[in-house]
Amino acid sequence: MAGSLPLERNLQATVRMYVFAAFIGGAIAPALVAGLSVLLKLGIFLPAEHGGVARGPWGQLVLFGAVFACVACGVITWMRQPKGARIAWDDWGITEWDGDGARVAMEWEQVSVTTSFTTLRKLRSHGGSGSTIGGQLTLTDTIGRRIDLTQGTQNVTLNDRLTTVDGLNALSSLVETRPSGMAPLHPHENRAALGILFGTLGYLGSFLGLVAYSAQPSEAAAVLVLLAGAFLMLRSLAFFSRARRDRMRGSVTAVELSGGVKGSVFLSNGQHVDVSRHPDAGLHLRRGAAWLSSTGTLETEGMRQARVARARSNFVSGLGRFLLGAAVFACGTPIAMTFLNAHLQGPDERIKVVWRADDGANGTAIDTIGRRFLVLENSEAVLRDLETGAVITRLPTRKDCSLPSFALSPTHAITSCDEKDARLFALEGTSSREVGTLKGELTIQAVTLGKARFALGDDSGLTSYGTLSDGRTTGFVQAAGADGAQVIRMCEATDQIAFISLMRNEWKAWLATGPVTKRLDVEGRGEALAFSPDCGVLAVSEENEVVLINTSDGKRVDALPLDTKRSLTRVATSLAFSADGNRFAIATEGKLRVYDFTSRKLELDLALEWQNTLVTTATDSPGALAFDGNDTMYFLAKYRGVLLRVSLR
């Protein structure tokens, strides 16, 4: 009648499953997110030099969490189930072994059986009522001892023990004559199910929250990240509780088992211990070393080793979840504080919303002299009044225009929609006239306008320029090895063109004076350039700072730091000089800083928020920033489609 069901095979398969999931999660999940990132231009998982975002290691944290969770679960599972775990039976009864220690043992006379099966239902057209693909066998006795065995499915007792086996037939046929009973819930089953729910919400919330925040900062994403971190930390409490429960309380004494009768064990010192409610109903049949606590709990050496292993694995499991939750919570705290400060402080009276798009906008340009701004709304270029936001006129564009490059001056406008051609318009009051088509060698990435000239950069590495009156190209600028201009600015007074391009997958800034092009000693990792009114200084965005370049010799003269602790990015998205050149403004995601350019002193440090709504721009697509005289600024945010008027008085 003797037999056994080993559990090592199930343990090994489970550990392999977790490790395999780690590799799959570490390869496929990031690949999917990175693919969506490229399609949606989010930059997640991509380094800054390849167009990635610089908000923080959100994508890397998601990747670490996925791999950490899978590998940790595999290691903890291996720790939780000692070598030699098995279900064994003989003529006396059935025993669940943890290595050399009996975890639970019951006499056949006391055993009752509860069975349940999982079946696969077949369609009527295929015939048959269904086939069994798994089941659960629960053995209990009159005082509450319990052994769970599952085939094909796993219940929530996985947190205490892996009990899935290849087949239940051998044991099922053995216990089929035993009386059936209604097994009560596992003592901690409800709490385990609640814990699993918290853990699932934590992992899922961490992934969705961090990815959502990488895509676009929002209050919902910040709250989701905080809740996810809190759920993971709460989930750890259940494991700490198990670890504490598995610790032997009170002092322990080494004893020797010397037999006994049912319900009572004799020790070598003549003492006898009542074990009528001990999990091991066959304890009176055991021999050898044991441990007796001051509270009367008796353990064999094997049971003690198994308990210590369970306590250790539960502690490690809880610690891992707590640390992961704390890391997620720590990442979400600065984000949430930004929004919380906005709620507590209320609207800043210096910031007014002039216009807000119903469905977002793209392709932004501002002309404070002509009192107009240009945006792409629903694939249509719309020229609006700078004071009221009212529509002045609409410029013809391609119907499927989605990645526009716009430029605006008091007399002209240029629109390009991710194609080789750009359209030049002459603006006359409330009407417009198309002057002609500006040709690029490859897809046009950036355009700019002066009073009498235009310039555009495309993917070929060529930057062309020409006259506005007839749209005729009069010259070219080329940077050796550059893959294409991503941002371009022009200063007609000194016949200079500045642009940021890609060179061997690295961002570089260039300054062309006539036909001579010089690479600047900066890495233009943002998409922001600005000439001072006298063209003597060129401001270039770089990671964590804005570099000021002397245009006469191309040398760095100074650098202004960014507020990387409170800002949501580490690069400037827009730069602008005041009309008299005495003020200089830097816009990052969520922040606007204005400096006295002569003394380099910070005059104004504003959060770009209004009525508790964060107004930001994407790092790879800056909005438009322009001074109206010296004391007023306009900021036009892409994607959100919001025009802000900022008073500097």
PDB file of all heavy atoms in Angstrom, residues 181-211:
ATOM      1  N   GLY A 181     -15.995  14.858   2.628  1.00  0.00           N
ATOM      2  CA  GLY A 181     -16.251  15.955   3.556  1.00  0.00           C
ATOM      3  C   GLY A 181     -16.143  17.283   2.841  1.00  0.00           C
ATOM      4  O   GLY A 181     -15.679  17.373   1.703  1.00  0.00           O
ATOM      5  N   MET A 182     -16.606  18.310   3.482  1.00  0.00           N
ATOM      6  CA  MET A 182     -16.519  19.659   2.938  1.00  0.00           C
ATOM      7  C   MET A 182     -15.344  20.357   3.608  1.00  0.00           C
ATOM      8  O   MET A 182     -15.455  20.820   4.745  1.00  0.00           O
ATOM      9  CB  MET A 182     -17.815  20.433   3.188  1.00  0.00           C
ATOM     10  CG  MET A 182     -17.825  21.820   2.540  1.00  0.00           C
ATOM     11  SD  MET A 182     -17.652  21.740   0.730  1.00  0.00           S
ATOM     12  CE  MET A 182     -19.218  21.001   0.297  1.00  0.00           C
ATOM     13  N   ALA A 183     -14.217  20.381   2.915  1.00  0.00           N
ATOM     14  CA  ALA A 183     -13.012  20.969   3.501  1.00  0.00           C
ATOM     15  C   ALA A 183     -13.214  22.462   3.710  1.00  0.00           C
ATOM     16  O   ALA A 183     -13.661  23.162   2.797  1.00  0.00           O
ATOM     17  CB  ALA A 183     -11.816  20.726   2.596  1.00  0.00           C
ATOM     18  N   PRO A 184     -12.914  22.957   4.903  1.00  0.00           N
ATOM     19  CA  PRO A 184     -13.035  24.402   5.135  1.00  0.00           C
ATOM     20  C   PRO A 184     -11.982  25.149   4.342  1.00  0.00           C
ATOM     21  O   PRO A 184     -11.031  24.564   3.837  1.00  0.00           O
ATOM     22  CB  PRO A 184     -12.797  24.535   6.647  1.00  0.00           C
ATOM     23  CG  PRO A 184     -11.918  23.367   6.981  1.00  0.00           C
ATOM     24  CD  PRO A 184     -12.357  22.248   6.069  1.00  0.00           C
ATOM     25  N   LEU A 185     -12.180  26.443   4.231  1.00  0.00           N
ATOM     26  CA  LEU A 185     -11.169  27.268   3.582  1.00  0.00           C
ATOM     27  C   LEU A 185      -9.851  27.130   4.315  1.00  0.00           C
ATOM     28  O   LEU A 185      -9.813  26.913   5.530  1.00  0.00           O
ATOM     29  CB  LEU A 185     -11.598  28.737   3.571  1.00  0.00           C
ATOM     30  CG  LEU A 185     -12.700  29.155   2.599  1.00  0.00           C
ATOM     31  CD1 LEU A 185     -13.055  30.618   2.841  1.00  0.00           C
ATOM     32  CD2 LEU A 185     -12.276  28.948   1.156  1.00  0.00           C
ATOM     33  N   HIS A 186      -8.781  27.261   3.557  1.00  0.00           N
ATOM     34  CA  HIS A 186      -7.464  27.312   4.186  1.00  0.00           C
ATOM     35  C   HIS A 186      -7.466  28.459   5.198  1.00  0.00           C
ATOM     36  O   HIS A 186      -8.047  29.521   4.934  1.00  0.00           O
ATOM     37  CB  HIS A 186      -6.391  27.535   3.109  1.00  0.00           C
ATOM     38  CG  HIS A 186      -4.995  27.373   3.615  1.00  0.00           C
ATOM     39  ND1 HIS A 186      -4.339  28.388   4.264  1.00  0.00           N
ATOM     40  CD2 HIS A 186      -4.142  26.316   3.587  1.00  0.00           C
ATOM     41  CE1 HIS A 186      -3.132  27.978   4.604  1.00  0.00           C
ATOM     42  NE2 HIS A 186      -2.994  26.725   4.210  1.00  0.00           N
ATOM     43  N   PRO A 187      -6.862  28.271   6.365  1.00  0.00           N
ATOM     44  CA  PRO A 187      -6.927  29.322   7.396  1.00  0.00           C
ATOM     45  C   PRO A 187      -6.547  30.708   6.902  1.00  0.00           C
ATOM     46  O   PRO A 187      -7.061  31.707   7.397  1.00  0.00           O
ATOM     47  CB  PRO A 187      -5.937  28.818   8.454  1.00  0.00           C
ATOM     48  CG  PRO A 187      -5.912  27.346   8.272  1.00  0.00           C
ATOM     49  CD  PRO A 187      -6.122  27.099   6.813  1.00  0.00           C
ATOM     50  N   HIS A 188      -5.638  30.773   5.941  1.00  0.00           N
ATOM     51  CA  HIS A 188      -5.186  32.092   5.470  1.00  0.00           C
ATOM     52  C   HIS A 188      -5.559  32.313   4.001  1.00  0.00           C
ATOM     53  O   HIS A 188      -4.970  33.148   3.338  1.00  0.00           O
ATOM     54  CB  HIS A 188      -3.676  32.222   5.643  1.00  0.00           C
ATOM     55  CG  HIS A 188      -3.212  31.900   7.034  1.00  0.00           C
ATOM     56  ND1 HIS A 188      -3.479  32.721   8.102  1.00  0.00           N
ATOM     57  CD2 HIS A 188      -2.511  30.848   7.522  1.00  0.00           C
ATOM     58  CE1 HIS A 188      -2.963  32.191   9.201  1.00  0.00           C
ATOM     59  NE2 HIS A 188      -2.375  31.056   8.878  1.00  0.00           N
ATOM     60  N   GLU A 189      -6.558  31.553   3.527  1.00  0.00           N
ATOM     61  CA  GLU A 189      -6.857  31.613   2.095  1.00  0.00           C
ATOM     62  C   GLU A 189      -7.418  32.958   1.679  1.00  0.00           C
ATOM     63  O   GLU A 189      -7.049  33.513   0.647  1.00  0.00           O
ATOM     64  CB  GLU A 189      -7.832  30.492   1.725  1.00  0.00           C
ATOM     65  CG  GLU A 189      -7.938  30.260   0.232  1.00  0.00           C
ATOM     66  CD  GLU A 189      -8.544  28.903  -0.089  1.00  0.00           C
ATOM     67  OE1 GLU A 189      -8.725  28.083   0.833  1.00  0.00           O
ATOM     68  OE2 GLU A 189      -8.829  28.685  -1.263  1.00  0.00           O
ATOM     69  N   ASN A 190      -8.324  33.515   2.483  1.00  0.00           N
ATOM     70  CA  ASN A 190      -8.899  34.816   2.126  1.00  0.00           C
ATOM     71  C   ASN A 190      -7.839  35.908   2.128  1.00  0.00           C
ATOM     72  O   ASN A 190      -7.789  36.753   1.229  1.00  0.00           O
ATOM     73  CB  ASN A 190     -10.023  35.177   3.103  1.00  0.00           C
ATOM     74  CG  ASN A 190     -11.272  34.353   2.868  1.00  0.00           C
ATOM     75  OD1 ASN A 190     -11.533  33.941   1.743  1.00  0.00           O
ATOM     76  ND2 ASN A 190     -12.028  34.093   3.924  1.00  0.00           N
ATOM     77  N   ARG A 191      -6.985  35.884   3.147  1.00  0.00           N
ATOM     78  CA  ARG A 191      -5.918  36.878   3.210  1.00  0.00           C
ATOM     79  C   ARG A 191      -4.928  36.693   2.068  1.00  0.00           C
ATOM     80  O   ARG A 191      -4.402  37.653   1.515  1.00  0.00           O
ATOM     81  CB  ARG A 191      -5.209  36.796   4.549  1.00  0.00           C
ATOM     82  CG  ARG A 191      -5.933  37.528   5.659  1.00  0.00           C
ATOM     83  CD  ARG A 191      -5.104  37.590   6.914  1.00  0.00           C
ATOM     84  NE  ARG A 191      -4.959  36.284   7.534  1.00  0.00           N
ATOM     85  CZ  ARG A 191      -4.169  36.027   8.565  1.00  0.00           C
ATOM     86  NH1 ARG A 191      -3.447  37.000   9.082  1.00  0.00           N
ATOM     87  NH2 ARG A 191      -4.084  34.819   9.076  1.00  0.00           N
ATOM     88  N   ALA A 192      -4.671  35.417   1.717  1.00  0.00           N
ATOM     89  CA  ALA A 192      -3.753  35.155   0.605  1.00  0.00           C
ATOM     90  C   ALA A 192      -4.327  35.686  -0.697  1.00  0.00           C
ATOM     91  O   ALA A 192      -3.621  36.291  -1.502  1.00  0.00           O
ATOM     92  CB  ALA A 192      -3.475  33.658   0.492  1.00  0.00           C
ATOM     93  N   ALA A 193      -5.648  35.456  -0.901  1.00  0.00           N
ATOM     94  CA  ALA A 193      -6.283  35.958  -2.122  1.00  0.00           C
ATOM     95  C   ALA A 193      -6.234  37.484  -2.172  1.00  0.00           C
ATOM     96  O   ALA A 193      -5.973  38.082  -3.217  1.00  0.00           O
ATOM     97  CB  ALA A 193      -7.727  35.468  -2.201  1.00  0.00           C
ATOM     98  N   LEU A 194      -6.469  38.134  -1.023  1.00  0.00           N
ATOM     99  CA  LEU A 194      -6.399  39.593  -0.976  1.00  0.00           C
ATOM    100  C   LEU A 194      -4.978  40.071  -1.246  1.00  0.00           C
ATOM    101  O   LEU A 194      -4.757  41.056  -1.956  1.00  0.00           O
ATOM    102  CB  LEU A 194      -6.876  40.081   0.394  1.00  0.00           C
ATOM    103  CG  LEU A 194      -6.912  41.608   0.596  1.00  0.00           C
ATOM    104  CD1 LEU A 194      -7.889  42.240  -0.381  1.00  0.00           C
ATOM    105  CD2 LEU A 194      -7.301  41.933   2.033  1.00  0.00           C
ATOM    106  N   GLY A 195      -4.008  39.351  -0.684  1.00  0.00           N
ATOM    107  CA  GLY A 195      -2.614  39.713  -0.921  1.00  0.00           C
ATOM    108  C   GLY A 195      -2.238  39.582  -2.381  1.00  0.00           C
ATOM    109  O   GLY A 195      -1.539  40.435  -2.935  1.00  0.00           O
ATOM    110  N   ILE A 196      -2.694  38.501  -3.012  1.00  0.00           N
ATOM    111  CA  ILE A 196      -2.409  38.317  -4.437  1.00  0.00           C
ATOM    112  C   ILE A 196      -3.013  39.455  -5.246  1.00  0.00           C
ATOM    113  O   ILE A 196      -2.409  39.963  -6.196  1.00  0.00           O
ATOM    114  CB  ILE A 196      -2.955  36.957  -4.911  1.00  0.00           C
ATOM    115  CG1 ILE A 196      -2.130  35.826  -4.278  1.00  0.00           C
ATOM    116  CG2 ILE A 196      -2.918  36.849  -6.428  1.00  0.00           C
ATOM    117  CD1 ILE A 196      -2.671  34.453  -4.556  1.00  0.00           C
ATOM    118  N   LEU A 197      -4.217  39.890  -4.869  1.00  0.00           N
ATOM    119  CA  LEU A 197      -4.859  41.004  -5.561  1.00  0.00           C
ATOM    120  C   LEU A 197      -4.025  42.277  -5.427  1.00  0.00           C
ATOM    121  O   LEU A 197      -3.800  42.988  -6.405  1.00  0.00           O
ATOM    122  CB  LEU A 197      -6.262  41.223  -4.998  1.00  0.00           C
ATOM    123  CG  LEU A 197      -7.039  42.419  -5.566  1.00  0.00           C
ATOM    124  CD1 LEU A 197      -7.261  42.245  -7.059  1.00  0.00           C
ATOM    125  CD2 LEU A 197      -8.370  42.584  -4.844  1.00  0.00           C
ATOM    126  N   PHE A 198      -3.564  42.557  -4.212  1.00  0.00           N
ATOM    127  CA  PHE A 198      -2.723  43.743  -4.000  1.00  0.00           C
ATOM    128  C   PHE A 198      -1.440  43.645  -4.826  1.00  0.00           C
ATOM    129  O   PHE A 198      -0.994  44.621  -5.422  1.00  0.00           O
ATOM    130  CB  PHE A 198      -2.385  43.889  -2.519  1.00  0.00           C
ATOM    131  CG  PHE A 198      -3.393  44.680  -1.747  1.00  0.00           C
ATOM    132  CD1 PHE A 198      -4.401  44.044  -1.040  1.00  0.00           C
ATOM    133  CD2 PHE A 198      -3.346  46.055  -1.736  1.00  0.00           C
ATOM    134  CE1 PHE A 198      -5.342  44.768  -0.328  1.00  0.00           C
ATOM    135  CE2 PHE A 198      -4.279  46.795  -1.025  1.00  0.00           C
ATOM    136  CZ  PHE A 198      -5.284  46.150  -0.321  1.00  0.00           C
ATOM    137  N   GLY A 199      -0.819  42.460  -4.833  1.00  0.00           N
ATOM    138  CA  GLY A 199       0.414  42.289  -5.592  1.00  0.00           C
ATOM    139  C   GLY A 199       0.196  42.480  -7.079  1.00  0.00           C
ATOM    140  O   GLY A 199       0.982  43.144  -7.764  1.00  0.00           O
ATOM    141  N   THR A 200      -0.892  41.892  -7.599  1.00  0.00           N
ATOM    142  CA  THR A 200      -1.190  42.035  -9.031  1.00  0.00           C
ATOM    143  C   THR A 200      -1.422  43.493  -9.395  1.00  0.00           C
ATOM    144  O   THR A 200      -0.918  43.989 -10.404  1.00  0.00           O
ATOM    145  CB  THR A 200      -2.426  41.192  -9.389  1.00  0.00           C
ATOM    146  OG1 THR A 200      -2.179  39.824  -9.056  1.00  0.00           O
ATOM    147  CG2 THR A 200      -2.740  41.297 -10.877  1.00  0.00           C
ATOM    148  N   LEU A 201      -2.219  44.185  -8.570  1.00  0.00           N
ATOM    149  CA  LEU A 201      -2.463  45.608  -8.820  1.00  0.00           C
ATOM    150  C   LEU A 201      -1.170  46.410  -8.745  1.00  0.00           C
ATOM    151  O   LEU A 201      -0.967  47.358  -9.500  1.00  0.00           O
ATOM    152  CB  LEU A 201      -3.477  46.146  -7.809  1.00  0.00           C
ATOM    153  CG  LEU A 201      -4.917  45.641  -7.940  1.00  0.00           C
ATOM    154  CD1 LEU A 201      -5.772  46.163  -6.800  1.00  0.00           C
ATOM    155  CD2 LEU A 201      -5.504  46.053  -9.276  1.00  0.00           C
ATOM    156  N   GLY A 202      -0.287  46.020  -7.836  1.00  0.00           N
ATOM    157  CA  GLY A 202       0.982  46.726  -7.701  1.00  0.00           C
ATOM    158  C   GLY A 202       1.860  46.582  -8.920  1.00  0.00           C
ATOM    159  O   GLY A 202       2.365  47.567  -9.464  1.00  0.00           O
ATOM    160  N   TYR A 203       2.043  45.336  -9.385  1.00  0.00           N
ATOM    161  CA  TYR A 203       2.886  45.116 -10.556  1.00  0.00           C
ATOM    162  C   TYR A 203       2.276  45.764 -11.799  1.00  0.00           C
ATOM    163  O   TYR A 203       2.960  46.448 -12.562  1.00  0.00           O
ATOM    164  CB  TYR A 203       3.074  43.619 -10.803  1.00  0.00           C
ATOM    165  CG  TYR A 203       3.936  42.936  -9.777  1.00  0.00           C
ATOM    166  CD1 TYR A 203       3.484  41.846  -9.059  1.00  0.00           C
ATOM    167  CD2 TYR A 203       5.228  43.391  -9.517  1.00  0.00           C
ATOM    168  CE1 TYR A 203       4.276  41.226  -8.109  1.00  0.00           C
ATOM    169  CE2 TYR A 203       6.026  42.789  -8.571  1.00  0.00           C
ATOM    170  CZ  TYR A 203       5.547  41.702  -7.868  1.00  0.00           C
ATOM    171  OH  TYR A 203       6.331  41.097  -6.934  1.00  0.00           O
ATOM    172  N   LEU A 204       0.978  45.538 -12.012  1.00  0.00           N
ATOM    173  CA  LEU A 204       0.323  46.099 -13.189  1.00  0.00           C
ATOM    174  C   LEU A 204       0.301  47.619 -13.128  1.00  0.00           C
ATOM    175  O   LEU A 204       0.576  48.304 -14.123  1.00  0.00           O
ATOM    176  CB  LEU A 204      -1.104  45.545 -13.289  1.00  0.00           C
ATOM    177  CG  LEU A 204      -1.909  45.940 -14.531  1.00  0.00           C
ATOM    178  CD1 LEU A 204      -1.217  45.434 -15.790  1.00  0.00           C
ATOM    179  CD2 LEU A 204      -3.327  45.385 -14.455  1.00  0.00           C
ATOM    180  N   GLY A 205      -0.004  48.157 -11.949  1.00  0.00           N
ATOM    181  CA  GLY A 205      -0.031  49.612 -11.806  1.00  0.00           C
ATOM    182  C   GLY A 205       1.328  50.243 -12.005  1.00  0.00           C
ATOM    183  O   GLY A 205       1.450  51.316 -12.590  1.00  0.00           O
ATOM    184  N   SER A 206       2.379  49.571 -11.517  1.00  0.00           N
ATOM    185  CA  SER A 206       3.736  50.090 -11.710  1.00  0.00           C
ATOM    186  C   SER A 206       4.062  50.182 -13.189  1.00  0.00           C
ATOM    187  O   SER A 206       4.567  51.196 -13.681  1.00  0.00           O
ATOM    188  CB  SER A 206       4.755  49.193 -11.006  1.00  0.00           C
ATOM    189  OG  SER A 206       4.499  49.126  -9.631  1.00  0.00           O
ATOM    190  N   PHE A 207       3.767  49.114 -13.917  1.00  0.00           N
ATOM    191  CA  PHE A 207       4.086  49.087 -15.340  1.00  0.00           C
ATOM    192  C   PHE A 207       3.296  50.162 -16.090  1.00  0.00           C
ATOM    193  O   PHE A 207       3.863  50.983 -16.811  1.00  0.00           O
ATOM    194  CB  PHE A 207       3.765  47.700 -15.897  1.00  0.00           C
ATOM    195  CG  PHE A 207       4.152  47.525 -17.341  1.00  0.00           C
ATOM    196  CD1 PHE A 207       5.438  47.130 -17.677  1.00  0.00           C
ATOM    197  CD2 PHE A 207       3.248  47.748 -18.358  1.00  0.00           C
ATOM    198  CE1 PHE A 207       5.808  46.970 -19.000  1.00  0.00           C
ATOM    199  CE2 PHE A 207       3.600  47.594 -19.682  1.00  0.00           C
ATOM    200  CZ  PHE A 207       4.889  47.190 -19.999  1.00  0.00           C
ATOM    201  N   LEU A 208       1.976  50.178 -15.899  1.00  0.00           N
ATOM    202  CA  LEU A 208       1.134  51.124 -16.636  1.00  0.00           C
ATOM    203  C   LEU A 208       1.420  52.566 -16.214  1.00  0.00           C
ATOM    204  O   LEU A 208       1.481  53.468 -17.056  1.00  0.00           O
ATOM    205  CB  LEU A 208      -0.343  50.798 -16.404  1.00  0.00           C
ATOM    206  CG  LEU A 208      -0.845  49.469 -16.963  1.00  0.00           C
ATOM    207  CD1 LEU A 208      -2.319  49.276 -16.644  1.00  0.00           C
ATOM    208  CD2 LEU A 208      -0.625  49.396 -18.467  1.00  0.00           C
ATOM    209  N   GLY A 209       1.616  52.780 -14.915  1.00  0.00           N
ATOM    210  CA  GLY A 209       1.846  54.143 -14.432  1.00  0.00           C
ATOM    211  C   GLY A 209       3.132  54.736 -14.952  1.00  0.00           C
ATOM    212  O   GLY A 209       3.165  55.876 -15.416  1.00  0.00           O
ATOM    213  N   LEU A 210       4.218  53.963 -14.893  1.00  0.00           N
ATOM    214  CA  LEU A 210       5.507  54.490 -15.332  1.00  0.00           C
ATOM    215  C   LEU A 210       5.543  54.682 -16.843  1.00  0.00           C
ATOM    216  O   LEU A 210       6.098  55.649 -17.339  1.00  0.00           O
ATOM    217  CB  LEU A 210       6.629  53.550 -14.883  1.00  0.00           C
ATOM    218  CG  LEU A 210       6.824  53.483 -13.359  1.00  0.00           C
ATOM    219  CD1 LEU A 210       7.861  52.431 -12.996  1.00  0.00           C
ATOM    220  CD2 LEU A 210       7.237  54.830 -12.806  1.00  0.00           C
ATOM    221  N   VAL A 211       4.939  53.746 -17.588  1.00  0.00           N
ATOM    222  CA  VAL A 211       4.885  53.908 -19.044  1.00  0.00           C
ATOM    223  C   VAL A 211       4.002  55.100 -19.401  1.00  0.00           C
ATOM    224  O   VAL A 211       4.335  55.896 -20.279  1.00  0.00           O
ATOM    225  CB  VAL A 211       4.379  52.620 -19.722  1.00  0.00           C
ATOM    226  CG1 VAL A 211       4.109  52.857 -21.198  1.00  0.00           C
ATOM    227  CG2 VAL A 211       5.406  51.505 -19.565  1.00  0.00           C
TER     228      VAL A 211
END
